[in-house]
């Protein structure tokens, strides 16, 4: 198992956001995390990547406890995140933003500057532009490319379609199989259930900080998703 959470809890001060979350991610697979706003999806990503610290044994990477490690140490282990809101460096160009990803974890792998440009050709055209001068969709491509430049074993994508036009979402989702072909496992956090299921091997649904459904994406029914998503009877 590439990554596993065991009874994962997380809090923001006095507010408990996750309650005993158990998820698993195998090498090379794509897992979708779905749920409404406030379900705990982004909090789960922050806990996995060390932004929210927890007990060491609550997050395991290749069987080793990493729950108390810093975000930098977790990235060095090959876990990278595309954060919600993209969070590009506004003073840097597109290419400089991408190169920072490579500096964070210098390991050999399929992803280089040219490989990212092959994946998203528009970025090569705009490589000298400030990252924040791009459209929302192009900024999302930069954020994905920056994470890929670290050649991760596990790529966490937090709300990658949020606020984007349908045509841009289509282009980004078309790139995900190419990313998987490079060998990385993926977690896709998404509110668009159809998009999530279209790329995932397995799906987890969260509600109010708990997992309410865990199933193979190809087998899960709309009724089961509805019940897990809204806490209603199927």
């Amino acid at each position: 198992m590439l990554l596993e959470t065991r009874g994962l809890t997380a809090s923001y001060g006095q507010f408990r956001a996750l309650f005993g979350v158990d998820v698993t991610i195998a090498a090379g697979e794509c897992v979708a995390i779905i749920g409404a706003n406030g379900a705990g999806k982004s909090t789960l990503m922050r806990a996995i990547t060390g932004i929210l610290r927890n007990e060491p044994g609550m997050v395991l990477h290749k069987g080793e406890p990493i729950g108390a490690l810093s975000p930098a140490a977790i990235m060095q282990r090959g876990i990278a995140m595309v954060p919600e809101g993209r969070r590009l460096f506004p003073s840097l160009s597109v290419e400089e933003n991408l190169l920072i990803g490579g500096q964070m974890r210098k390991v050999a792998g399929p992803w280089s500057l040219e490989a990212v440009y092959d994946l998203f050709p528009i970025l090569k055209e705009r490589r000298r532009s400030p990252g924040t001068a791009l459209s929302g969709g192009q900024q999302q491509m930069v954020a994905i490319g920056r994470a890929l430049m670290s050649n991760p074993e596990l790529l966490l994508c937090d709300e990658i379609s949020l606020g984007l036009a349908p045509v841009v979402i289509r282009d980004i989702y078309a790139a995900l199989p190419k990313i998987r072909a490079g060998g990385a496992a993926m977690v896709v956090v998404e509110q668009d259930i159809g998009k999530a299921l279209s790329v995932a091997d397995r799906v987890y649904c969260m509600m109010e900080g708990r997992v309410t459904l865990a199933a193979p994406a190809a087998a899960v029914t709309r009724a089961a998703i509805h019940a897990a998503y809204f806490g209603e009877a199927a």
Side-chain angles (χ1 to χ4, degrees), residues 64-99:
E64 297 181 9
I66 64 168
L69 296 183
S70 68
I74 289 173
M75 175 170 271
Q76 288 298 318
R77 295 183 67 98
I79 301 171
M81 182 164 70
V82 181
E84 180 182 352
R86 300 175 282 275
R87 300 185 186 179
L88 304 184
F89 296 99
S91 63
L92 302 182
S93 69
V94 166
E95 190 158 296
E96 289 167 336
N97 268 282
L98 294 174
L99 289 171

Side-chain angles (χ1 to χ4, degrees), residues 80-144:
M81 182 164 70
V82 181
E84 180 182 352
R86 300 175 282 275
R87 300 185 186 179
L88 304 184
F89 296 99
S91 63
L92 302 182
S93 69
V94 166
E95 190 158 296
E96 289 167 336
N97 268 282
L98 294 174
L99 289 171
I100 280 179
Q103 292 296 315
M104 295 298 290
R105 181 173 183 255
K106 296 181 180 181
V107 296
W111 295 104
S112 63
L113 202 56
E114 285 307 312
V116 171
Y117 287 152
D118 286 343
L119 184 68
F120 299 123
I122 188 63
L123 298 187
K124 188 169 188 178
E125 296 177 24
R126 303 295 305 275
R127 65 187 183 276
R128 305 302 179 200
S129 301
T132 52
L134 275 59
S135 69
Q138 291 167 358
Q139 289 185 40
Q140 189 65 279
M141 293 173 187
V142 177
I144 294 170

Side-chain angles (χ1 to χ4, degrees), residues 15-40:
F15 175 72
R16 178 65 63 85
L18 297 180
F19 300 85
V21 172
D22 297 328
V23 301
T24 61
I25 302 150
E29 77 170 339
C30 181
V31 171
I33 310 288
I34 63 173
N37 282 334

Side-chain angles (χ1 to χ4, degrees), residues 55-69 77:
E55 295 298 321
M58 288 185 177
V59 183
L60 303 176
H61 177 234
K62 297 181 178 177
E64 297 181 9
I66 64 168
L69 296 183
R77 295 183 67 98

